[in-house]
Amino acid sequence: MAHLKKQQLVLAFIDFLNESIQDSTVKDDDKEGLDVAIQCIGEAFGIDPSNDTQRKQLSIKPAKLQTIFDVFLKTRDKVASPSSQSPSTSAPSTAAPPKTLSAEDKKTAEKLKQTGNAQMSTKKHDLAINSYSKAIAIDPTNAVYFSNRAAAYSSKGDHTSAIEDAKKAIEVDPSFVKAYSRLGHAHYSLGDYKAAAAAFSKGTELDPTNENLKSGLKNAKEHLPAEDEDDGPPPLMPEDQLLSSSPASNPDRSDSTPNLGGLADMLGGGGGMPDLASMMNNPMMMQMTQQMMANGGLERLMSNPAVANMMGRVQNGQMPSMEELMSDPTMRNLASQFMGRGN
């Protein structure tokens, strides 16, 4: 998953560099060097921008790296602005009581909304945003005005502002379905498919028959990477050896005592110095070691005092016998963990 995200970032960066070459952002004298850099970056991360299959899997379109960076800058500036400080750090203020709207106020706000709609139909997005803003100033309790302004922001490519307005519309009226559609579209356009899917999903809960929401949810989910299935770590022992350690195949062994046959085999028999080369080539030993390295068990094992003492003796040519090993409760417990108990 992490590797896939890195490849997505690298492809977006390569696309940005190619666009910079095409729109003459880069000087002609520097284009050849940049082409070489693009090729080297692609090879280093295993990315071929001309491979349509790979591009379909990794592309973040319709979002672009520049757009995502702009979102980051805006978010950072808002977080750093004094208005975003915690109320505990600012002077206390008394909130003004909500204004009671007259029939004339509502009529004026509705007229401004209609003006904004007309301006949207002629693609005059900035004028539409201005009209909706005036309507909101008169009646901030109308979710439609925020939703319409969100659509205007998205139409001009300002999806960050669209997200804010869509969330405000939902805050004003959580049952207003269209706001979830606006929110999902804005997140999708920025490449945040997980947030887009969540918004579309919430909308379909409110209106299961809404085709726009269902289509948006389907498209967002198609861009989500498949979750890797995790059925747990592989067994430390081959299946035939696991079966041989079961109570049915060894009725004289109690459930609390591990089957040490496999461990004795790996250590070279009942006692004496083992054949280290044979141990490291033993498939069971190799599988155990790989698993322990992957989950951090090897580091924990080597920090165990009993194991450290045993390893010191082995290095000095004093290999303990199996009987001596199993008389140590710590070593016996380790053997139980590694070799498995009967089920």
Side-chain angles (χ1 to χ4, degrees), residues 95-121:
K99 177 184 176 182
T100 302
L101 292 176
S102 64
E104 187 63 29
D105 288 335
K106 291 184 179 181
K107 184 177 179 180
T108 300
E110 277 296 304
K111 187 175 181 179
L112 286 166
K113 183 200 76 172
Q114 293 170 5
T115 300
N117 292 348
Q119 291 163 336
M120 279 288 290
S121 65

Short mmCIF file of all heavy atoms in Angstrom, two decimals, residues 95-121:
data_model
loop_
_atom_site.label_atom_id
_atom_site.label_comp_id
_atom_site.label_asym_id
_atom_site.label_seq_id
_atom_site.Cartn_x
_atom_site.Cartn_y
_atom_site.Cartn_z
N ALA A 95 -21.82 35.95 21.83
CA ALA A 95 -22.41 35.72 20.52
C ALA A 95 -23.71 36.51 20.40
O ALA A 95 -24.53 36.54 21.31
CB ALA A 95 -22.66 34.23 20.31
N ALA A 96 -23.86 37.11 19.24
CA ALA A 96 -25.08 37.88 19.01
C ALA A 96 -26.25 36.94 18.76
O ALA A 96 -26.08 35.88 18.15
CB ALA A 96 -24.89 38.79 17.79
N PRO A 97 -27.42 37.25 19.25
CA PRO A 97 -28.58 36.38 19.02
C PRO A 97 -28.90 36.33 17.53
O PRO A 97 -28.64 37.27 16.79
CB PRO A 97 -29.70 37.09 19.81
CG PRO A 97 -29.25 38.52 19.93
CD PRO A 97 -27.76 38.46 20.00
N PRO A 98 -29.40 35.18 17.04
CA PRO A 98 -29.72 35.05 15.62
C PRO A 98 -30.74 36.10 15.19
O PRO A 98 -31.70 36.39 15.90
CB PRO A 98 -30.29 33.64 15.51
CG PRO A 98 -30.71 33.26 16.91
CD PRO A 98 -29.77 33.98 17.81
N LYS A 99 -30.50 36.62 14.02
CA LYS A 99 -31.39 37.65 13.49
C LYS A 99 -32.68 37.03 12.98
O LYS A 99 -32.67 36.00 12.32
CB LYS A 99 -30.68 38.39 12.36
CG LYS A 99 -31.53 39.44 11.68
CD LYS A 99 -30.77 40.05 10.51
CE LYS A 99 -31.64 41.04 9.76
NZ LYS A 99 -30.91 41.61 8.59
N THR A 100 -33.78 37.65 13.31
CA THR A 100 -35.08 37.19 12.82
C THR A 100 -35.30 37.74 11.42
O THR A 100 -35.27 38.95 11.20
CB THR A 100 -36.21 37.66 13.74
OG1 THR A 100 -35.98 37.17 15.06
CG2 THR A 100 -37.55 37.15 13.24
N LEU A 101 -35.47 36.81 10.46
CA LEU A 101 -35.63 37.23 9.07
C LEU A 101 -37.07 37.64 8.79
O LEU A 101 -38.01 36.96 9.18
CB LEU A 101 -35.24 36.09 8.13
CG LEU A 101 -33.76 35.69 8.11
CD1 LEU A 101 -33.57 34.48 7.22
CD2 LEU A 101 -32.92 36.85 7.61
N SER A 102 -37.19 38.74 8.12
CA SER A 102 -38.51 39.18 7.70
C SER A 102 -38.84 38.53 6.35
O SER A 102 -37.96 37.97 5.67
CB SER A 102 -38.54 40.71 7.54
OG SER A 102 -37.67 41.12 6.50
N ALA A 103 -40.06 38.60 5.96
CA ALA A 103 -40.48 38.05 4.66
C ALA A 103 -39.74 38.76 3.53
O ALA A 103 -39.37 38.14 2.52
CB ALA A 103 -41.98 38.19 4.51
N GLU A 104 -39.48 40.04 3.70
CA GLU A 104 -38.76 40.81 2.68
C GLU A 104 -37.30 40.35 2.57
O GLU A 104 -36.76 40.26 1.46
CB GLU A 104 -38.82 42.30 3.03
CG GLU A 104 -38.27 43.22 1.96
CD GLU A 104 -39.07 43.14 0.67
OE1 GLU A 104 -40.28 42.86 0.72
OE2 GLU A 104 -38.47 43.38 -0.41
N ASP A 105 -36.69 40.04 3.72
CA ASP A 105 -35.31 39.54 3.71
C ASP A 105 -35.22 38.22 2.94
O ASP A 105 -34.32 38.02 2.12
CB ASP A 105 -34.81 39.34 5.14
CG ASP A 105 -34.55 40.66 5.86
OD1 ASP A 105 -34.31 41.65 5.17
OD2 ASP A 105 -34.59 40.67 7.10
N LYS A 106 -36.15 37.33 3.22
CA LYS A 106 -36.14 36.03 2.54
C LYS A 106 -36.36 36.20 1.04
O LYS A 106 -35.73 35.50 0.23
CB LYS A 106 -37.23 35.13 3.13
CG LYS A 106 -36.92 34.68 4.56
CD LYS A 106 -37.99 33.71 5.05
CE LYS A 106 -37.67 33.23 6.46
NZ LYS A 106 -38.67 32.25 6.97
N LYS A 107 -37.21 37.12 0.69
CA LYS A 107 -37.49 37.37 -0.73
C LYS A 107 -36.23 37.90 -1.43
O LYS A 107 -35.91 37.50 -2.55
CB LYS A 107 -38.64 38.36 -0.86
CG LYS A 107 -39.08 38.61 -2.29
CD LYS A 107 -40.27 39.56 -2.32
CE LYS A 107 -40.71 39.83 -3.77
NZ LYS A 107 -41.88 40.75 -3.81
N THR A 108 -35.52 38.80 -0.74
CA THR A 108 -34.30 39.37 -1.33
C THR A 108 -33.23 38.29 -1.49
O THR A 108 -32.54 38.22 -2.52
CB THR A 108 -33.76 40.49 -0.42
OG1 THR A 108 -34.76 41.52 -0.30
CG2 THR A 108 -32.49 41.10 -1.00
N ALA A 109 -33.10 37.44 -0.48
CA ALA A 109 -32.11 36.37 -0.55
C ALA A 109 -32.43 35.40 -1.68
O ALA A 109 -31.54 34.96 -2.42
CB ALA A 109 -32.06 35.63 0.79
N GLU A 110 -33.70 35.07 -1.85
CA GLU A 110 -34.09 34.17 -2.93
C GLU A 110 -33.82 34.77 -4.30
O GLU A 110 -33.40 34.09 -5.24
CB GLU A 110 -35.58 33.82 -2.81
CG GLU A 110 -35.87 32.70 -1.83
CD GLU A 110 -35.26 31.38 -2.27
OE1 GLU A 110 -35.55 30.93 -3.40
OE2 GLU A 110 -34.47 30.81 -1.50
N LYS A 111 -34.04 36.08 -4.41
CA LYS A 111 -33.76 36.75 -5.68
C LYS A 111 -32.27 36.72 -6.00
O LYS A 111 -31.87 36.53 -7.15
CB LYS A 111 -34.27 38.20 -5.62
CG LYS A 111 -34.18 38.94 -6.94
CD LYS A 111 -34.80 40.32 -6.85
CE LYS A 111 -34.73 41.04 -8.20
NZ LYS A 111 -35.35 42.39 -8.14
N LEU A 112 -31.44 36.92 -4.97
CA LEU A 112 -29.99 36.84 -5.17
C LEU A 112 -29.57 35.43 -5.58
O LEU A 112 -28.68 35.24 -6.41
CB LEU A 112 -29.27 37.24 -3.88
CG LEU A 112 -29.28 38.74 -3.56
CD1 LEU A 112 -28.84 38.97 -2.11
CD2 LEU A 112 -28.37 39.50 -4.52
N LYS A 113 -30.22 34.43 -5.00
CA LYS A 113 -29.91 33.04 -5.38
C LYS A 113 -30.26 32.81 -6.85
O LYS A 113 -29.47 32.19 -7.60
CB LYS A 113 -30.69 32.06 -4.51
CG LYS A 113 -30.38 30.60 -4.80
CD LYS A 113 -31.47 29.67 -4.32
CE LYS A 113 -32.69 29.71 -5.25
NZ LYS A 113 -33.69 28.67 -4.92
N GLN A 114 -31.41 33.29 -7.29
CA GLN A 114 -31.82 33.12 -8.68
C GLN A 114 -30.85 33.84 -9.63
O GLN A 114 -30.54 33.35 -10.71
CB GLN A 114 -33.24 33.64 -8.87
CG GLN A 114 -34.28 32.80 -8.13
CD GLN A 114 -35.66 33.44 -8.12
OE1 GLN A 114 -35.88 34.48 -8.74
NE2 GLN A 114 -36.59 32.83 -7.40
N THR A 115 -30.39 35.00 -9.19
CA THR A 115 -29.39 35.73 -10.00
C THR A 115 -28.11 34.90 -10.12
O THR A 115 -27.52 34.79 -11.20
CB THR A 115 -29.07 37.09 -9.35
OG1 THR A 115 -30.26 37.87 -9.26
CG2 THR A 115 -28.02 37.84 -10.15
N GLY A 116 -27.71 34.32 -9.01
CA GLY A 116 -26.52 33.47 -9.03
C GLY A 116 -26.70 32.26 -9.95
O GLY A 116 -25.78 31.88 -10.68
N ASN A 117 -27.89 31.67 -9.93
CA ASN A 117 -28.17 30.52 -10.81
C ASN A 117 -28.05 30.92 -12.28
O ASN A 117 -27.50 30.17 -13.11
CB ASN A 117 -29.56 29.96 -10.53
CG ASN A 117 -29.65 29.30 -9.15
OD1 ASN A 117 -28.64 29.07 -8.49
ND2 ASN A 117 -30.87 29.02 -8.72
N ALA A 118 -28.59 32.10 -12.61
CA ALA A 118 -28.51 32.58 -13.99
C ALA A 118 -27.06 32.83 -14.40
O ALA A 118 -26.65 32.53 -15.53
CB ALA A 118 -29.34 33.85 -14.14
N GLN A 119 -26.28 33.36 -13.48
CA GLN A 119 -24.87 33.62 -13.76
C GLN A 119 -24.09 32.31 -13.91
O GLN A 119 -23.17 32.22 -14.73
CB GLN A 119 -24.26 34.48 -12.64
CG GLN A 119 -24.80 35.90 -12.65
CD GLN A 119 -24.54 36.64 -11.34
OE1 GLN A 119 -24.36 36.03 -10.29
NE2 GLN A 119 -24.54 37.98 -11.41
N MET A 120 -24.48 31.29 -13.19
CA MET A 120 -23.84 29.99 -13.33
C MET A 120 -24.12 29.39 -14.71
O MET A 120 -23.25 28.76 -15.31
CB MET A 120 -24.35 29.03 -12.25
CG MET A 120 -23.67 29.20 -10.90
SD MET A 120 -21.95 28.61 -10.90
CE MET A 120 -22.22 26.85 -11.03
N SER A 121 -25.33 29.58 -15.20
CA SER A 121 -25.70 29.02 -16.51
C SER A 121 -24.90 29.65 -17.64
O SER A 121 -24.74 29.04 -18.70
CB SER A 121 -27.20 29.20 -16.76
OG SER A 121 -27.52 30.58 -16.85
#
